[in-house]
Amino acid sequence: RIDKGSKDGVREGLGVVSPQGVVGRILRISENYSLVLTLIDPTSSIDGVIQRSRTRGIVSGQLNSMRIRMRYLDRLEDVVGGDTVVSTGFGWIFPPGLLIGYVTEVIPSPNSIVQSVILRPAVDIYRLEEVFVVFPPAESKAVS
């Protein structure tokens, strides 16, 4: 929960970030506060790209885990442990290049054309004290 709401111009779907990277997006709003769907939630989906190889996929949370998963990567794509995953900028929810996380495990699927990648989020959701709401470029304004 953040202490900014509709009276501050916050709307559902806007991105939420911290200095460390992507946090999530606005799920619900009221006049004075908003609820944030965090990156580690299994219902969250964010378009991401592996910075080194430019491989794109969808990043979402996992049940009962502090890890996140990047899905829909072709099994032949070049992905290794330690790779950095950043936002693509697709849809202008997040600017391109914001840190999402780091690859900790690559799970090939011999019976499928895709592989899964496990990430460690860049942001520790449980230690956040301050976040920023991302407004689309044409509407950029400070919310403090």
Side-chain angles (χ1 to χ4, degrees):
R1 180 185 282 193
I2 61 173
D3 65 349
K4 299 295 176 189
S6 59
K7 73 175 183 151
D8 302 298
V10 176
R11 297 186 319 272
E12 291 179 5
L14 293 178
V16 178
V17 299
S18 77
Q20 293 79 33
V22 173
V23 173
R25 62 177 118 175
I26 302 294
L27 180 63
R28 284 190 221 123
I29 58 169
S30 72
E31 187 175 340
N32 298 307
Y33 71 90
S34 300
L35 297 179
V36 177
L37 178 66
T38 64
L39 178 64
I40 63 171
D41 190 289
T43 62
S44 173
S45 294
I46 296 172
D47 197 35
V49 62
I50 295 175
Q51 198 168 36
R52 181 182 57 80
S53 65
R54 307 312 295 169
T55 301
R56 287 179 69 166
I58 302 297
V59 178
S60 58
Q62 299 186 90
L63 284 173
N64 303 319
S65 175
M66 289 301 297
R67 302 285 183 209
I68 51 181
R69 173 171 278 186
M70 189 170 189
R71 299 177 293 150
Y72 309 116
L73 288 93
D74 186 292
R75 71 180 170 138
L76 301 177
E77 292 289 353
D78 180 21
V79 182
V80 295
D83 275 347
T84 300
V85 178
V86 297
S87 59
T88 64
F90 183 74
W92 285 106
I93 295 171
F94 302 102
L98 286 179
L99 187 56
I100 294 175
Y102 305 97
V103 174
T104 59
E105 185 179 355
V106 179
I107 306 168
S109 179
N111 300 328
S112 177
I113 61 170
V114 296
Q115 62 183 328
S116 287
V117 174
I118 305 300
L119 310 173
R120 177 178 49 85
V123 175
D124 183 348
I125 301 297
Y126 294 106
R127 296 190 193 279
L128 280 176
E129 293 184 19
E130 188 172 69
V131 296
F132 305 95
V133 176
V134 179
F135 287 88
E139 303 176 34
S140 291
K141 61 181 174 180
V143 175
S144 55

